[in-house]
Amino acid sequence: MEEEPKVDAHFPAVAHTLTLQMDGQGEWKIINDDYTDEFKDAFGTNVDWNSLIQSFPEEIAKEKAEPKRLPPAHPGVTSTVVSSGSTVPNGTTGPYYISYNRSGAASYALSHTNNSGDSVRTQNYNPLFYAYPGNDCADYVSQCLWAGFGGSDSSYGIQVHVYPMITSPEGAVYPWYADSATDGSTMWINAYSLINDATSNYSNGYYGVQMYTESVNSVALGDVVLDSSGAGHVEIVTNVSGAPDWGTIFVSSHTNNRYNAPLSTPYPNTKSRLRVSFYRVSAYLHPPAY
C-alpha cells in the first residue's frame, strides 16, 4: 500500500483477515475479507437487506415497549439505575446507565486533597494512582468521577481497569482509565480531553462518562469546572452552600492543591470569570456485558 490506512475510531479493535491471490499479471488482489463485529455477529454475512430494513420499525416499536433490563454488574459497579430512573432486574445483556453518586464523588475529592497550594504529591493523594507532577488536575477529577460511578478502590481493581474505567476493546470511543503507572489514557489525564470527550459521549450516546454544559446558576455537587486559560485546569464541586453562584460554589483540585474553596477566590471579577465553564456530570453509559 502506498499510504497508511485510515482507521475509523468509532469501530475500534475489529481485526480483519485478508486473503490475497496473485492474478495473471503478477499483481496481488484481495479475494476475501474475514472479520467479526457486532453487526456480523447479529445478522451473519448473507443478509436480505430489504427484509432487514422493513423490520426496523417493528423492532424499534418492540424495544420501546419492553422494559430495559440490566446485565450482572461488573466488579466495582454498584448502581442498577437506568436513565429513566427505574430499577430493573439483572440477567440480560445490553447497555445501561450507571447513576452518579454526587456525594460519593465529593467525599472522595475532599479525602484526597488539601489546601496547601502544593503542586506535588502529598500524603492526601490516593497512593494506588500515579500522580502527574505539576499537572495532576484532570487525573484527580477523573478519580473523583470514577469514585462517584462506583470505582473499586483496590489495587487489583485499579490495575486491571475494572468498570467504571473503560478501554477501547470494551467499546469506548474515548478510553478512560489509569493506574499506578504512567499510562493513563488521554481522557483521564488531560483537562480538555476529559471535558471534550465526556460531552461528546453525551451528545453521541457513546459508552463512558457523560457530561453536558451547565450554567453557573444550576451547578450541583459533583459537577466539573473548567478554566480554559493556558493548558486548561479542571476542578470538582465539593459543596454548594446556597443558591449556586460564585460565592456559594466550593471546589477542590490538585496542582495546585485546593480544598473546598469558594470559586470567588480564584475568580473574583467578571474578567476572570469569562474563562470558566461548568459541566453537569450526567451518567455513565455501560457497554453490554461480556
Side-chain angles (χ1 to χ4, degrees):
M1 303 185 69
E2 295 180 354
E3 62 180 24
E4 186 173 332
K6 294 179 173 61
V7 177
D8 189 338
H10 292 268
F11 299 94
V14 176
H16 291 251
T17 301
L18 303 179
T19 303
L20 290 83
Q21 186 176 70
M22 185 177 290
D23 63 15
Q25 286 73 43
E27 294 183 347
W28 289 100
K29 299 290 180 66
I30 297 173
I31 63 171
N32 187 50
D33 178 8
D34 186 26
Y35 64 93
T36 300
D37 61 14
E38 292 183 8
F39 188 88
K40 191 173 179 182
D41 283 344
F43 299 104
T45 54
N46 298 316
V47 180
D48 182 342
W49 293 103
N50 289 330
S51 298
L52 178 62
I53 292 170
Q54 290 172 5
S55 72
F56 284 167
E58 181 181 344
E59 291 302 317
I60 292 171
K62 183 193 299 183
E63 182 178 348
K64 287 183 177 179
E66 292 178 350
K68 294 184 181 298
R69 293 173 291 176
L70 308 184
H74 288 270
V77 175
T78 57
S79 174
T80 57
V81 179
V82 296
S83 56
S84 65
S86 60
T87 303
V88 293
N90 288 334
T92 60
T93 59
Y96 64 96
Y97 286 91
I98 304 172
S99 62
Y100 183 46
N101 185 334
R102 296 181 174 277
S103 60
S107 177
Y108 181 97
L110 293 172
S111 297
H112 293 288
T113 192
N114 58 33
N115 213 27
S116 65
D118 291 341
S119 59
V120 296
R121 179 192 283 270
T122 70
Q123 67 272 17
N124 302 85
Y125 283 37
N126 188 336
L128 300 179
F129 287 98
Y130 178 82
Y132 294 82
N135 193 24
D136 197 58
C137 67
D139 170 54
Y140 167 72
V141 170
S142 285
Q143 289 181 40
C144 299
L145 300 178
W146 163 82
F149 286 120
S152 175
D153 196 10
S154 67
S155 179
Y156 173 78
I158 292 170
Q159 292 305 114
V160 300
H161 305 147
V162 300
Y163 290 112
M165 293 185 191
I166 186 168
T167 58
S168 287
E170 292 160 331
V173 174
Y174 306 110
W176 187 67
Y177 63 87
D179 50 45
S180 61
T182 59
D183 66 344
S185 68
T186 302
M187 181 183 174
W188 186 284
I189 66 175
N190 180 274
Y192 287 122
S193 290
L194 174 61
I195 296 299
N196 293 337
D197 296 350
T199 53
S200 181
N201 284 347
Y202 178 83
S203 299
N204 297 289
Y206 296 151
Y207 299 138
V209 178
Q210 303 195 336
M211 299 185 203
Y212 58 85
T213 306
E214 190 56 274
S215 68
V216 64
N217 303 120
S218 300
V219 168
L221 186 72
D223 282 344
V224 177
V225 179
L226 172 68
D227 181 341
S228 59
S229 60
H233 180 60
V234 284
E235 303 174 291
I236 187 166
V237 176
T238 46
N239 188 32
V240 181
S241 63
D245 205 347
W246 295 91
T248 60
I249 298 171
F250 293 76
V251 295
S252 298
S253 65
H254 277 185
T255 58
N256 292 346
N257 296 336
R258 190 186 304 278
Y259 180 92
N260 210 38
L263 267 181
S264 56
T265 299
Y267 309 109
N269 52 52
T270 301
K271 182 178 180 180
S272 65
R273 294 173 185 178
L274 289 175
R275 65 178 190 259
V276 179
S277 303
F278 303 92
Y279 294 87
R280 169 60 44 83
V281 182
S282 171
Y284 180 104
L285 182 56
H286 193 296
Y290 292 93

